[in-house]
């Protein structure tokens, strides 16, 4: 879903992944005060705007050429009600699972990624979760109002629904985390979809379009339209093919 105009990409790939892209929306901050009541769908509307960091960390996962250190955080003060409680440790375990999955971004070690529109050539990544300040990117699970406010501050309208990525921060919208999307509830591994998509933005990818048929690229905005593709939660197919499509400005 384009919201920030960007120049047309060049055709010639470079030998290394680009620096992280400008802010993108994929898919309100009540500083102090009481959390807002849940929305009509039962999703808690807001927490207190501060975040708890998941303790500990993981060994390095994968053998790609570039190490990505990530930290996982969950907003404090969320009135969970009847919803499952996603503590920082539980959320970190879920993110770790997605990162380490066979068809996740670590598969790039065996199948390096080249994507000309974003000048990415022969790229591969390995990952490690950390809990200190030495992270490359942090993933924050946050309520819709908190996501809206933090993303709006960098010019992104997330509309109470979408996630976004800016700088070294990925904001995962609690509404999507709890509910998924029509046709793919959270219970069908939509978590993998949103984590892989947002991590893809951090790795340097813009949005992609459906190539016409088959599994959707993970960088396609599948939450909005499929355009002939089928839902897909992973960057790679089982045989190691990186699923890609035409460039779409993010």
């Amino acid at each position: 879903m384009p919201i920030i105009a960007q120049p047309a990409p060049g055709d010639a790939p470079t030998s290394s992944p680009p620096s992280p892209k400008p802010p993108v929306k994929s898919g309100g901050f009540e500083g102090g005060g009481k959390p807002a009541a849940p929305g009509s769908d039962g999703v808690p509307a807001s927490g207190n705007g501060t975040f708890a960091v998941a303790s500990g960390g993981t060994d390095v996962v994968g053998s790609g050429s570039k190490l990505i250190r990530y930290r996982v955080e969950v907003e404090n003060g969320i009135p969970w009600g009847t919803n499952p409680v996603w503590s920082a440790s539980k959320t970190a375990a879920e993110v770790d699972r997605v990162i380490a999955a066979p068809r996740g971004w670590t598969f790039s070690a065996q199948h390096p990624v080249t994507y000309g529109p974003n000048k990415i050539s022969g790229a591969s990544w390995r990952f490690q979760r950390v809990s200190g300040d030495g992270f490359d990117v942090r993933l924050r699970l946050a309520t819709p109002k908190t996501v809206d406010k933090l993303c709006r501050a960098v010019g992104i309208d997330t509309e109470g629904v979408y996630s976004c990525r800016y700088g070294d921060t990925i904001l995962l919208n609690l509404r999507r985390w709890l509910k998924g999307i029509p046709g793919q509830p959270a219970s069908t591994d939509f978590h993998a979809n949103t984590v892989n998509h947002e991590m893809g933005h951090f790795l340097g990818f813009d949005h992609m379009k459906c190539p016409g048929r088959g599994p959707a690229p993970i960088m396609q905005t599948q939450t909005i339209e499929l355009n002939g593709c089928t839902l897909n939660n992973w960057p790679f197919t089982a045989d190691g093919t990186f699923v890609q499509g035409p460039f779409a400005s993010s």
Side-chain angles (χ1 to χ4, degrees):
M1 60 222 66
I3 52 165
I4 295 179
Q6 297 186 26
D11 293 327
T14 60
S15 59
S16 61
S19 299
K21 292 284 182 174
V24 289
K25 171 178 73 175
S26 301
F29 185 85
E30 303 290 337
K34 296 181 179 180
S40 59
D41 58 359
V43 174
S46 69
N48 69 12
T50 66
F51 291 85
V53 176
S55 61
T58 66
D59 293 333
V60 173
V61 176
S63 57
S65 60
K66 184 174 179 60
L67 174 63
I68 304 296
R69 296 162 299 177
Y70 65 97
R71 192 170 81 180
V72 176
E73 307 175 13
V74 175
E75 187 175 5
N76 292 310
I78 297 175
W80 293 100
T82 59
N83 292 290
V85 177
W86 283 88
S87 64
S89 60
K90 180 181 177 181
T91 304
E94 179 72 338
V95 173
D96 295 345
R97 179 189 68 83
V98 173
I99 294 294
R103 290 171 53 199
W105 289 109
T106 59
F107 209 8
S108 59
Q110 290 74 44
H111 303 277
V113 175
T114 293
Y115 185 66
N118 284 132
K119 299 182 179 180
I120 293 174
S121 179
S124 62
W125 303 274
R126 63 190 191 277
F127 296 82
Q128 182 179 30
R129 181 167 61 82
V130 299
S131 56
D133 293 333
F135 61 88
D136 300 296
V137 60
R138 59 186 174 184
L139 297 93
R140 289 179 151 184
L141 181 61
T143 53
K145 285 190 175 181
T146 296
V147 172
D148 282 353
K149 174 148 188 180
L150 295 180
C151 294
R152 188 183 301 119
V154 293
I156 309 171
D157 183 7
T158 46
E159 304 175 31
V161 175
Y162 302 109
S163 301
C164 83
R165 198 282 310 164
Y166 57 87
D168 63 3
T169 298
I170 289 171
L171 284 167
L172 302 172
N173 196 305
L174 184 63
R175 174 160 281 116
R176 289 295 202 212
W177 194 262
L178 292 177
K179 298 296 184 180
I181 60 175
Q184 190 174 45
S187 61
T188 61
D189 214 3
F190 183 74
H191 294 165
N193 191 299
T194 191
V195 169
N196 284 322
H197 182 96
E198 299 303 333
M199 184 61 76
H201 281 310
F202 178 75
L203 297 179
F205 294 92
D206 286 288
H207 286 142
M208 298 179 188
K209 299 176 183 178
C210 171
R213 60 192 177 94
I218 193 59
M219 299 314 300
Q220 182 178 341
T221 52
Q222 300 177 53
T223 60
I224 295 180
E225 55 191 2
L226 288 170
N227 289 330
C229 282
T230 55
L231 282 167
N232 170 43
N233 299 325
W234 305 100
F236 297 87
T237 60
D239 67 2
T241 300
F242 177 62
V243 184
Q244 57 182 275
F247 174 87
S249 179
S250 296

